[in-house]
PDB file of all heavy atoms in Angstrom:
ATOM      1  N   PRO E  62      -6.236  -4.829   3.212  1.00 92.00           N
ATOM      2  CA  PRO E  62      -6.893  -3.800   4.029  1.00 92.00           C
ATOM      3  C   PRO E  62      -7.278  -4.334   5.405  1.00 92.00           C
ATOM      4  O   PRO E  62      -7.666  -5.496   5.551  1.00 92.00           O
ATOM      5  CB  PRO E  62      -8.142  -3.442   3.213  1.00 92.00           C
ATOM      6  CG  PRO E  62      -7.823  -3.856   1.817  1.00 92.00           C
ATOM      7  CD  PRO E  62      -6.924  -5.052   1.941  1.00 92.00           C
ATOM      8  N   LYS E  71     -19.212   0.930   4.937  1.00 77.00           N
ATOM      9  CA  LYS E  71     -18.192  -0.087   5.178  1.00 77.00           C
ATOM     10  C   LYS E  71     -17.747  -0.741   3.878  1.00 77.00           C
ATOM     11  O   LYS E  71     -18.508  -0.857   2.930  1.00 77.00           O
ATOM     12  CB  LYS E  71     -18.737  -1.171   6.117  1.00 77.00           C
ATOM     13  CG  LYS E  71     -18.872  -0.716   7.548  1.00 77.00           C
ATOM     14  CD  LYS E  71     -19.275  -1.853   8.427  1.00 77.00           C
ATOM     15  CE  LYS E  71     -18.102  -2.785   8.562  1.00 77.00           C
ATOM     16  NZ  LYS E  71     -18.247  -3.786   9.587  1.00 77.00           N
ATOM     17  N   ARG E  72     -16.515  -1.213   3.879  1.00 78.00           N
ATOM     18  CA  ARG E  72     -15.973  -1.974   2.761  1.00 78.00           C
ATOM     19  C   ARG E  72     -16.715  -3.303   2.686  1.00 78.00           C
ATOM     20  O   ARG E  72     -16.930  -3.961   3.696  1.00 78.00           O
ATOM     21  CB  ARG E  72     -14.484  -2.208   2.999  1.00 78.00           C
ATOM     22  CG  ARG E  72     -13.797  -3.025   1.949  1.00 78.00           C
ATOM     23  CD  ARG E  72     -12.348  -3.209   2.311  1.00 78.00           C
ATOM     24  NE  ARG E  72     -11.593  -1.989   2.114  1.00 78.00           N
ATOM     25  CZ  ARG E  72     -10.971  -1.670   0.977  1.00 78.00           C
ATOM     26  NH1 ARG E  72     -11.019  -2.475  -0.033  1.00 78.00           N
ATOM     27  NH2 ARG E  72     -10.314  -0.548   0.886  1.00 78.00           N
ATOM     28  N   SER E  73     -17.103  -3.723   1.495  1.00 78.00           N
ATOM     29  CA  SER E  73     -17.891  -4.945   1.356  1.00 78.00           C
ATOM     30  C   SER E  73     -17.042  -6.206   1.487  1.00 78.00           C
ATOM     31  O   SER E  73     -17.507  -7.213   2.010  1.00 78.00           O
ATOM     32  CB  SER E  73     -18.637  -4.960   0.031  1.00 78.00           C
ATOM     33  OG  SER E  73     -17.720  -4.860  -1.043  1.00 78.00           O
ATOM     34  N   THR E  74     -15.800  -6.174   1.010  1.00 80.00           N
ATOM     35  CA  THR E  74     -14.917  -7.340   1.113  1.00 80.00           C
ATOM     36  C   THR E  74     -13.532  -6.899   1.554  1.00 80.00           C
ATOM     37  O   THR E  74     -13.081  -5.813   1.209  1.00 80.00           O
ATOM     38  CB  THR E  74     -14.778  -8.081  -0.236  1.00 80.00           C
ATOM     39  OG1 THR E  74     -14.209  -7.188  -1.194  1.00 80.00           O
ATOM     40  CG2 THR E  74     -16.096  -8.597  -0.742  1.00 80.00           C
ATOM     41  N   ILE E  75     -12.881  -7.766   2.308  1.00 86.00           N
ATOM     42  CA  ILE E  75     -11.491  -7.529   2.698  1.00 86.00           C
ATOM     43  C   ILE E  75     -10.642  -8.485   1.863  1.00 86.00           C
ATOM     44  O   ILE E  75     -10.376  -9.608   2.243  1.00 86.00           O
ATOM     45  CB  ILE E  75     -11.277  -7.790   4.203  1.00 86.00           C
ATOM     46  CG1 ILE E  75     -12.209  -6.936   5.045  1.00 86.00           C
ATOM     47  CG2 ILE E  75      -9.833  -7.547   4.598  1.00 86.00           C
ATOM     48  CD1 ILE E  75     -11.934  -5.448   4.992  1.00 86.00           C
ATOM     49  N   ARG E  76     -10.266  -8.043   0.673  1.00 91.00           N
ATOM     50  CA  ARG E  76      -9.458  -8.874  -0.213  1.00 91.00           C
ATOM     51  C   ARG E  76      -8.136  -8.177  -0.496  1.00 91.00           C
ATOM     52  O   ARG E  76      -8.073  -6.941  -0.444  1.00 91.00           O
ATOM     53  CB  ARG E  76     -10.203  -9.151  -1.507  1.00 91.00           C
ATOM     54  CG  ARG E  76     -10.374  -7.945  -2.381  1.00 91.00           C
ATOM     55  CD  ARG E  76     -11.042  -8.300  -3.705  1.00 91.00           C
ATOM     56  NE  ARG E  76     -11.032  -7.187  -4.606  1.00 91.00           N
ATOM     57  CZ  ARG E  76     -11.929  -6.219  -4.622  1.00 91.00           C
ATOM     58  NH1 ARG E  76     -12.919  -6.215  -3.761  1.00 91.00           N
ATOM     59  NH2 ARG E  76     -11.826  -5.241  -5.486  1.00 91.00           N
ATOM     60  N   GLU E  78      -5.227  -6.304  -2.344  1.00 92.00           N
ATOM     61  CA  GLU E  78      -5.241  -5.389  -3.473  1.00 92.00           C
ATOM     62  C   GLU E  78      -3.818  -5.066  -3.892  1.00 92.00           C
ATOM     63  O   GLU E  78      -2.900  -5.158  -3.091  1.00 92.00           O
ATOM     64  CB  GLU E  78      -5.947  -4.084  -3.095  1.00 92.00           C
ATOM     65  CG  GLU E  78      -7.401  -4.261  -2.779  1.00 92.00           C
ATOM     66  CD  GLU E  78      -8.081  -2.940  -2.489  1.00 92.00           C
ATOM     67  OE1 GLU E  78      -7.421  -1.885  -2.590  1.00 92.00           O
ATOM     68  OE2 GLU E  78      -9.262  -2.973  -2.154  1.00 92.00           O
TER      69      GLU E  78
END
Side-chain angles (χ1 to χ4, degrees):
K71 287 186 71 168
R72 178 181 287 269
S73 59
T74 61
I75 303 293
R76 69 176 188 275
E78 295 183 3

